[in-house]
């Protein structure tokens, strides 16, 4: 096993030891032990930077299920490394933060860190796997870990609701993605992403190509909370804040983004891919930022903001895929700008959103509430937190000199370029991208300002707060300080990232554009002249400021939105009505009446056997050899039929029993006529004993009443029994005419005396040739006898129990 | 001959099915008895009822009837007898415990 595999598996290994550390080293917060691992992993992974920025990749394979082409292949390229660094880097900071956030005495730290490590390992597995099945395994593990972490405070009902909702939605998408992976395998015969990309030319016209694309996108959209699957993310905010910061802003929700970026070399260049990814992205961007403004809970604002920023990145990935059409040279680099912007914003979002979640966690921790209506005036009480919040929100709103400004400018460049495209019907529909993007940016500006100014400025309302607020402990402040410094550093020196991380990641997303030894040209700078983008940003700030100050006047429009059309309403009612319909269907056919079930069974028998005879043309009549009919048989048959038909009409139990006896004894007589002496003997005895048994047993049962039921009821019964009778009769007819080969009876007749020394062939068969049947038949009789015995005896035993009670 | 037997078997099946679909536990027990008669006759008929001596080698006849279906039916008779016996006791016990022999009242889901 290579080091790379160990990197992925190490969190799982450490997770095994966490409960022991928690139990036996009580005086030290368990988080300190956990903290070592992500820091080590981060420093190990950072060694790959020079390798990857030279355009090289690293790959190690460990065989897992070679017979099914499933191997544990770890693969490091620009994109994988970028994500792995985010996961371990932010993971370290979140663990450090959680040490101060979660109390050693009150919380179940062992389960928290086990889930968190499980998540970290699964996420590393997702981004570093080359094999799609392995990727899927880790993908589902992230869903599971997220489920466990959201429901960390499982005593709260809302936590359980949020966990269930996220589980249902992400697992639904994950399952669709699994189907998509299998379709890809059917087309290419391999699960390796490398090898699939090598076959792109041959599969893009395959009929399964489009279904595979749709299913995989469904997986990516549910995981990355794209419209309309974003509804699970706001409810996932019931998780502890470190979890929200880590999973629901920086890493897990980017798994879908990762998947889209990773599979871009396969699907990019298709109009469907361009429109689905970019279209869903831009709608999510707008809807998320629009909905964020009406929230009053700080974490809900951040949740919708995450939804909207994820939409932004998704949209850019979609727009960037158009570059495959145009090829690449340094002069037409504008087509790849969107991809560049996506990667850059991905990094920026992870930094500022992580910091903001931690800031909100601090506010919650120090004041006891996250409701902006209760907060205000914390600026002088929590100056460091306030500074961090300013940096984070201004970056989120896209203001200079922070990194959000740069990626927002690049985003505008991307959408403006896209509206100029002359492919995929963009001439007619292209304008919606810049318009929606601009509107969404205005709302982003508004909620960013709400977030920081409603919390930290305005009137201080100590009477509404549970605790007396003060500045947070230094340990809790270090992680957001690091993230905020990164926001500033990347803002001022963006080109630190350009050829170390961004360019290699772009090369993994758009590999087909580069000739060998060629690189994408990446240069991000603050001042790029009086361009349209800059005017758009000015417009955002101007309109945003006006709307922020008039917020109370126009926020009424949110109440105008009909509740019945809300997506959560659809989800909740969908679940309820699904249960109700399932219940209804079950109640409808599972009536509890034995007779109904028998009707189903008999009807099925008639339809299947009768239909089978009919469709297979198996029915035949009167062509086979038949024996002549004698007069005795006719008389006997008449007697038997008359007796049988009279049974249902019998009105006393004695008559019924006698009639059944007549049928049984006629059967015995038939055996005589058909030359079966042993059968006749047995039948006579058994019939006698049965009749006696009936008489004995029915003596204790109530009198046979006349069937009092409605006529249609009887008519259906009659029809069904008629059907059964006819079908069985037809089968008997067909059996006469379809004798396929000679019976083996000649052998029994010949060997009976020679080999077994008996002249009664039937008896020799019973005890000699096929003695095994007889043994088990004796067993059946024995069991029946024991069962009868215990049925009668056990009753007495229970009676006594009752009396004793 | 086989044609006649097939018709008889069909009628026996019909009567038995009708009895099994009724509400009274008694009739259902009787129905199962009749259905086993029908099955036994069906096995015999399907093997062919060509005339010949009983399968006793002492007869020294030229032609014997087929012994194998007879052995099968013998096994089946004994097993269905065992089951009928158990069924009777079960019906008896059910009536004693629950006080009814009406299948509609013997639904077990009152406490759901």
């Amino acid at each position: 096993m290579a080091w790379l595999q160990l990197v992925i598996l190490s969190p799982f290994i450490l997770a095994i030891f966490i409960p022991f550390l928690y139990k036996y080293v009580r005086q030290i917060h368990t988080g300190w032990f956990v903290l070592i691992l992500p820091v080590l992993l981060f420093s190990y992974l950072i060694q790959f930077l020079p390798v990857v920025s030279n355009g090289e990749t690293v790959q190690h394979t460990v065989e897992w299920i070679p017979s099914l082409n499933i191997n544990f292949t770890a693969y490091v390229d620009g994109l994988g490394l970028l994500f792995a660094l985010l996961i371990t880097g932010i993971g370290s900071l979140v663990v450090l933060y959680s040490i101060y956030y979660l109390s050693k005495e009150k919380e179940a730290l062992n389960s928290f860190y086990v889930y968190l490590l499980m998540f970290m390992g699964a996420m590393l597995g997702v981004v570093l796997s080359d094999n799609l099945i392995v990727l899927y395994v880790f993908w589902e593990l992230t869903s599971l870990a997220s489920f466990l972490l959201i429901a960390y405070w499982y005593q709260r009902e809302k936590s359980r609701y949020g966990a269930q909702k996220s589980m249902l939605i992400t697992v639904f998408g994950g399952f669709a993605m699994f189907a998509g992976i299998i379709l890809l395998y059917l087309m290419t015969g391999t699960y390796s992403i490398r090898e699939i990309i090598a076959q792109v030319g041959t599969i893009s016209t395959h009929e399964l190509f489009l279904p595979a694309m749709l299913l995989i996108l469904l997986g990516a959209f549910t995981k990355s909370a794209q419209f309309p699957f974003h509804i699970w993310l706001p409810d996932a905010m019931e998780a502890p804040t470190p979890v929200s910061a880590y999973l629901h802003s920086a890493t897990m929700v980017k798994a879908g983004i990762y998947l889209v970026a990773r599979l871009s070399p396969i699907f990019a260049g298709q109009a469907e891919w361009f429109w689905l990814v970019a279209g869903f992205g831009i709608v999510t961007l707008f809807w998320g930022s629009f909905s964020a403004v009406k929230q009053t809970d700080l974490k809900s604002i951040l949740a919708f903001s995450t939804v909207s920023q994820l939409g932004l990145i998704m949209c850019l990935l979609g727009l960037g895929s158009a570059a495959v059409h145009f090829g690449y040279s340094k002069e037409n680099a504008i087509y790849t700008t969107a991809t560049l912007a996506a990667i850059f914003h991905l990094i920026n979002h992870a930094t500022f959103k992580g910091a903001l979640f931690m800031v909100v966690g601090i506010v919650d921790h120090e004041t006891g509430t996250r409701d902006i209506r209760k907060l205000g005036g914390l600026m002088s009480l929590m100056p460091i937190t306030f500074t961090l919040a300013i940096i984070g929100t201004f970056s989120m709103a896209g203001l200079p000199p922070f990194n959000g400004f740069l990626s927002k400018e690049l985003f505008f460049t991307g959408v403006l370029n896209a509206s100029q495209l002359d492919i995929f019907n963009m001439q007619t529909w292209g304008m919606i991208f810049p318009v929606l993007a601009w509107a969404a940016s205005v709302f982003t500006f508004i909620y960013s300002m709400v977030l920081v100014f409603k919390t930290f400025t305005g009137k201080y309302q100590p009477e509404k707060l549970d605790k007396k607020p003060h500045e947070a402990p230094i340990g809790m402040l270090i992680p957001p300080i690091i993230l905020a410094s990164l926001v500033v550093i990347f803002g001022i020196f963006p080109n630190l990232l350009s050829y170390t991380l961004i360019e290699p990641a772009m090369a993994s997303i758009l590999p087909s554009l580069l000739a060998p030894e060629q690189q994408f040209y990446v240069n991000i700078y603050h001042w790029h002249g009086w361009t349209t983008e800059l005017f758009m940003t000015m417009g955002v700030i101007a309109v945003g400021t006006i709307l922020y100050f008039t917020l109370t006047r126009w926020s009424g429009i949110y109440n105008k939105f009909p509740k019945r059309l809300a997506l959560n309403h659809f989800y909740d009612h969908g679940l309820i009505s699904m249960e109700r319909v399932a219940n209804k269907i079950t109640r409808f056919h599972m009536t509890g009446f034995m007779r109904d079930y028998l009707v189903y069974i008999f009807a099925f028998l008639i339809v299947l056997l009768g239909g089978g005879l009919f469709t297979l043309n198996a029915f035949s009549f009167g062509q086979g050899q038949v024996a002549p009919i004698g007069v005795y048989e006719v008389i006997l048959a008449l007697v038997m039929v008359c007796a049988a038909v009279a049974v249902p009409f019998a009105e006393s139990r004695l008559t019924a029993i006698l009639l059944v006896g007549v049928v049984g004894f006629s059967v015995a007589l038939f055996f005589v006529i058909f030359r079966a002496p042993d059968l006749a003997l047995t039948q006579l005895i058994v019939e006698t004993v049965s009749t006696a048994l009936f008489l004995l047993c029915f003596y204790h049962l109530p009198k046979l009443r006349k069937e009092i039921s409605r006529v249609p009821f009887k008519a259906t019964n009659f029809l069904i029994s008629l059907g059964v009778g006819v079908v069985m009769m037809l089968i008997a007819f067909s059996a006469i005419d379809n004798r396929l080969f000679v019976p083996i009876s000649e052998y029994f007749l010949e060997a009976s005396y020679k080999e077994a020394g008996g002249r009664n062939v039937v008896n020799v068969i019973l005890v000699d040739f096929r003695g095994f049947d007889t043994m088990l038949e004796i067993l059946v009789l024995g069991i029946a006898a024991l069962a009868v015995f215990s049925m009668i005896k056990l009753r007495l035993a229970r009676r006594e129990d009752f009396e004793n009670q | 001959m086989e044609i006649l037997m097939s018709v008889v078997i069909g009628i026996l099946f019909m009567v038995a099915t009708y009895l099994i679909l009724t509400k009274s536990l008694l009739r259902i027990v009787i129905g199962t008895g009749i259905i086993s008669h029908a099955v036994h006759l069906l096995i015999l008929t399907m093997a062919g009822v060509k005339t010949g001596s009983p399968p006793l080698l002492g007869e020294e006849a030229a032609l014997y009837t087929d012994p194998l279906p007879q052995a099968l039916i013998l096994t089946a008779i004994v097993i269905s007898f065992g089951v009928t016996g158990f069924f009777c006791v079960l019906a008896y016990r059910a009536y004693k415990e629950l006080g009814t022999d009406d299948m509609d009242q013997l639904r077990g889901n009152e406490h759901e």
Side-chain angles (χ1 to χ4, degrees):
Chain A
M1 183 165 300
W3 281 106
L4 266 180
Q5 268 83 10
L6 204 63
V7 165
I8 298 173
L9 295 180
S10 58
F12 295 104
I13 297 167
L14 179 60
I16 298 172
F17 296 101
I18 292 299
F20 298 104
L21 289 172
Y22 175 71
K23 192 159 179 207
Y24 295 112
V25 197
R26 290 299 309 221
Q27 61 278 22
I28 304 174
H29 195 286
T30 318
W32 291 111
F33 300 109
V34 180
L35 182 62
I36 303 164
L37 183 75
V39 173
L40 273 181
L41 292 182
F42 184 80
S43 37
Y44 175 73
L45 285 167
I46 212 146
Q47 294 170 20
F48 285 97
L49 269 183
V51 182
V52 164
S53 51
N54 283 337
E56 293 162 31
T57 58
V58 185
Q59 187 167 348
H60 280 289
T61 302
V62 173
E63 287 201 337
W64 183 18
I65 315 175
S67 57
L68 296 176
N69 282 330
I70 298 172
N71 292 313
F72 188 8
T73 305
Y75 177 84
V76 180
D77 66 347
L79 188 65
L81 184 65
L82 166 64
F83 272 90
L85 287 176
L86 281 180
I87 292 159
T88 49
I90 297 187
S92 318
L93 298 177
V94 161
V95 172
L96 178 63
Y97 180 79
S98 70
I99 292 172
Y100 290 92
Y101 186 84
L102 291 175
S103 141
K104 192 167 69 179
E105 284 79 31
K106 289 182 209 147
E107 305 286 357
L109 292 176
N110 50 345
S111 36
F112 180 80
Y113 286 111
V114 166
Y115 302 156
L116 199 72
L117 282 170
M118 177 174 146
F119 170 77
M120 193 185 288
M123 201 63 210
L124 282 172
V126 166
V127 300
L128 294 179
S129 292
D130 181 53
N131 193 293
L132 281 171
I133 294 290
V134 179
L135 190 148
Y136 172 71
V137 169
F138 285 120
W139 183 277
E140 292 297 10
L141 272 177
T142 63
S143 295
L144 185 63
S146 163
F147 170 77
L148 291 170
L149 283 169
I150 295 170
Y152 177 64
W153 289 310
Y154 57 86
Q155 305 87 344
R156 301 183 190 170
E157 207 218 324
K158 283 177 90 178
S159 297
R160 298 197 301 269
Y161 171 79
Q164 186 203 35
K165 193 174 187 179
S166 78
M167 185 74 161
L168 287 177
I169 294 178
T170 54
V171 167
F172 160 74
F175 203 63
M177 184 185 117
F178 185 50
I181 289 172
I182 288 174
L183 291 186
L184 276 180
Y185 180 75
L186 289 179
M187 285 186 279
T188 58
T190 174
Y191 287 121
S192 160
I193 300 174
R194 295 305 97 206
E195 291 167 29
I196 293 176
I197 291 174
Q199 297 185 36
V200 164
T202 56
I203 61 168
S204 54
T205 49
H206 199 284
E207 57 184 349
L208 294 179
F209 187 71
L210 193 61
M213 181 200 290
L214 293 176
L215 287 169
I216 285 177
L217 277 183
L218 195 57
F221 286 171
T222 49
K223 196 77 160 183
S224 275
Q226 299 294 298
F227 186 88
F229 307 111
H230 66 272
I231 50 172
W232 67 267
L233 191 62
D235 284 308
M237 292 300 128
E238 293 302 321
T241 302
V243 172
S244 311
Y246 189 37
L247 273 70
H248 306 127
S249 75
T251 52
M252 188 181 89
V253 287
K254 296 208 170 93
I257 304 269
Y258 169 80
L259 191 74
V260 167
R262 176 55 89 200
L263 300 183
S264 273
I266 303 174
F267 297 111
Q270 309 292 323
E272 294 89 355
W273 177 263
F274 175 87
W275 271 107
L276 282 172
V277 178
F280 272 92
I282 196 89
V283 171
T284 312
L285 166 64
F286 177 76
W287 186 249
S289 60
F290 178 70
S291 309
V293 178
K294 71 174 168 186
Q295 307 301 324
T296 53
D297 178 271
L298 289 174
K299 270 176 107 176
S300 294
I301 300 180
L302 287 180
F304 277 104
S305 141
T306 303
V307 168
S308 118
Q309 306 277 323
L310 290 170
L312 187 156
I313 300 172
M314 195 65 95
C315 169
L316 283 171
L317 282 175
L319 297 177
S321 75
V324 175
H325 258 265
F326 298 99
Y328 182 77
S329 66
K330 207 167 171 180
E331 288 71 49
N332 65 359
I334 55 160
Y335 298 114
T336 55
T337 311
T339 312
L340 164 68
I343 304 286
F344 190 40
H345 194 72
L346 181 84
I347 303 170
N348 295 345
H349 178 249
T351 53
F352 69 68
K353 193 52 68 67
L356 281 177
F357 265 108
M358 291 175 184
V359 163
V360 166
I362 289 171
V363 170
D364 186 14
H365 205 265
E366 302 307 328
T367 64
T369 182
R370 301 193 306 250
D371 194 328
I372 50 172
R373 287 165 301 190
K374 294 184 188 164
L375 293 167
L378 297 177
M379 185 165 64
S380 51
L381 292 165
M382 307 166 84
I384 306 176
T385 317
F386 172 63
T387 317
L388 297 172
I390 286 276
I391 296 173
T393 46
F394 279 28
S395 176
M396 182 156 77
L399 300 178
F402 304 112
N403 57 6
F405 169 70
L406 301 168
S407 46
K408 186 138 289 185
E409 293 291 286
L410 283 168
F411 169 57
F412 283 151
T413 316
V415 290
L416 285 172
N417 284 339
S419 63
Q420 313 288 321
L421 291 181
D422 52 358
I423 50 167
F424 307 144
N425 280 331
M426 280 298 278
Q427 302 93 317
T428 37
W429 294 101
M431 271 321 282
I432 63 164
F433 285 103
V435 170
L436 273 180
W438 187 81
S441 298
V442 172
F443 284 109
T444 307
F445 183 86
I446 298 170
Y447 72 69
S448 300
M449 297 306 117
V450 167
L451 193 68
V452 63
F453 290 118
K454 297 253 164 157
T455 313
F456 291 99
T457 61
K459 218 173 92 202
Y460 176 49
Q461 302 158 298
E463 70 281 357
K464 287 189 183 168
L465 302 177
D466 299 340
K467 301 177 185 172
K468 184 150 172 46
H470 55 82
E471 190 57 273
I474 185 70
M476 220 166 171
L477 286 169
I478 289 174
I481 287 175
I482 294 175
L483 286 172
S485 340
L486 286 178
V487 169
V488 178
I489 292 170
F490 293 157
I492 299 171
F493 309 107
N495 287 317
L496 281 178
L497 294 171
S498 16
Y499 286 96
T500 49
L501 275 175
I502 297 179
E503 197 280 333
M506 282 174 77
S508 334
I509 300 175
L510 301 165
S512 60
L513 295 181
L514 289 180
E517 305 295 318
Q518 200 186 359
Q519 273 195 323
F520 285 110
Y521 173 68
V522 180
N523 193 11
I524 307 164
Y525 40 89
H526 269 272
W527 178 248
H528 36 76
W530 294 103
T531 52
T532 327
E533 294 90 310
L534 194 62
F535 290 117
M536 279 169 84
T537 305
M538 289 174 174
V540 166
I541 296 171
V543 176
T545 315
I546 296 168
L547 284 177
Y548 172 68
F549 284 112
T550 54
L551 189 60
T552 42
R553 295 211 198 132
W554 58 271
S555 60
I557 60 158
Y558 286 111
N559 304 328
K560 296 239 165 37
F561 191 77
K563 272 223 162 59
R564 275 187 330 111
L565 287 177
L567 287 163
N568 276 320
H569 182 86
F570 276 116
Y571 169 83
D572 292 334
H573 280 253
L575 273 193
I576 293 169
S577 49
M578 212 146 71
E579 269 175 33
R580 211 169 36 210
V581 170
N583 247 331
K584 231 180 224 170
I585 292 173
T586 312
R587 290 247 171 81
F588 174 72
H589 72 280
M590 302 306 284
T591 53
F593 290 112
M594 190 63 90
R595 182 241 170 204
D596 290 340
Y597 305 146
L598 286 168
V599 166
Y600 303 149
I601 294 171
F602 284 130
F604 191 71
L605 179 135
I606 294 168
V607 169
L608 204 72
L609 286 184
L613 277 179
F614 186 73
T615 50
L616 297 175
N617 234 349
F619 177 63
S620 61
F621 179 68
Q623 282 125 31
Q625 262 196 322
V626 290
I629 305 176
V631 66
Y632 297 119
E633 288 97 318
V634 178
I635 295 171
L636 202 51
L638 273 178
V639 169
M640 193 157 92
V641 167
C642 289
V645 171
V647 173
F649 300 100
E651 281 179 29
S652 84
R653 47 192 183 195
L654 202 60
T655 327
I657 292 168
L658 286 181
L659 285 170
V660 177
V662 171
V663 175
F665 289 120
S666 341
V667 171
L669 286 179
F670 263 119
F671 288 152
V672 171
I673 291 176
F674 292 146
R675 290 165 180 81
D678 297 299
L679 285 188
L681 274 174
T682 319
Q683 178 68 24
L684 269 176
I685 295 167
V686 164
E687 198 53 43
T688 316
V689 177
S690 305
T691 311
L693 190 67
F694 280 145
L695 286 171
L696 182 72
C697 167
F698 286 14
Y699 176 74
H700 297 282
L701 289 176
K703 285 219 167 68
L704 199 57
R705 284 176 316 250
K706 212 173 160 194
E707 282 279 304
I708 30 166
S709 42
R710 284 168 291 117
V711 179
F713 181 80
K714 280 189 176 171
T716 29
N717 284 2
F718 176 72
L719 271 181
I720 283 171
S721 40
L722 185 70
V724 171
V726 168
V727 165
M728 295 313 288
M729 190 175 77
L730 293 179
I731 288 174
F733 279 158
S734 314
I736 304 163
D737 292 337
N738 295 306
R739 206 139 291 154
L740 298 176
F741 33 76
V742 188
I744 57 163
S745 324
E746 284 309 312
Y747 165 77
F748 289 124
L749 290 168
E750 265 172 34
S752 176
Y753 187 68
K754 263 188 260 166
E755 302 207 348
R759 290 210 163 82
N760 185 336
V761 186
V762 173
N763 287 5
V764 169
I765 292 176
L766 280 176
V767 298
D768 215 319
F769 292 123
R770 299 175 57 91
F772 210 59
D773 290 358
T774 313
M775 190 183 82
L776 295 177
E777 162 200 336
I778 292 168
L779 191 67
V780 169
L781 269 192
I783 290 172
L786 281 177
V788 167
F789 178 77
S790 46
M791 283 284 273
I792 292 165
K793 274 291 164 192
L794 279 184
R795 175 192 56 169
L796 299 171
R798 226 186 72 189
R799 277 273 157 76
E800 279 159 18
D801 274 355
F802 268 119
E803 279 156 17
N804 290 344
Q805 271 170 6
Chain B
M1 188 65 237
E2 281 92 342
I3 309 277
L4 176 71
M5 287 313 291
S6 302
V7 177
V8 170
I9 290 161
I11 293 171
L12 285 187
F13 264 109
M14 191 181 91
V15 171
T17 312
Y18 187 83
L19 286 172
I20 287 174
L21 288 176
T22 53
K23 284 196 245 174
S24 147
L25 199 53
L26 270 178
R27 285 198 170 87
I28 293 176
V29 177
I30 291 174
T32 54
I34 293 181
I35 219 168
S36 59
H37 289 321
V39 170
H40 301 155
L41 285 178
L42 182 63
I43 298 175
L44 199 66
T45 311
M46 282 168 93
V49 288
K50 281 183 223 69
T51 42
S53 269
L56 302 167
L57 295 181
E59 298 273 307
E60 294 182 357
L63 201 62
Y64 292 103
T65 49
D66 194 339
L68 188 60
Q70 296 192 11
L72 296 181
I73 295 168
L74 200 59
T75 312
I77 290 175
V78 176
I79 290 178
S80 63
F81 170 67
V83 174
T84 311
F86 178 67
F87 203 2
C88 276
V89 177
L90 193 65
Y92 164 71
R93 273 298 311 274
Y95 176 66
K96 285 281 144 175
E97 288 286 312
L98 304 166
T100 177
D101 72 328
D102 188 337
M103 286 308 286
D104 283 2
Q105 290 168 16
L106 285 173
R107 293 171 61 189
N109 57 358
E110 273 172 40
H111 304 292
E112 274 174 22

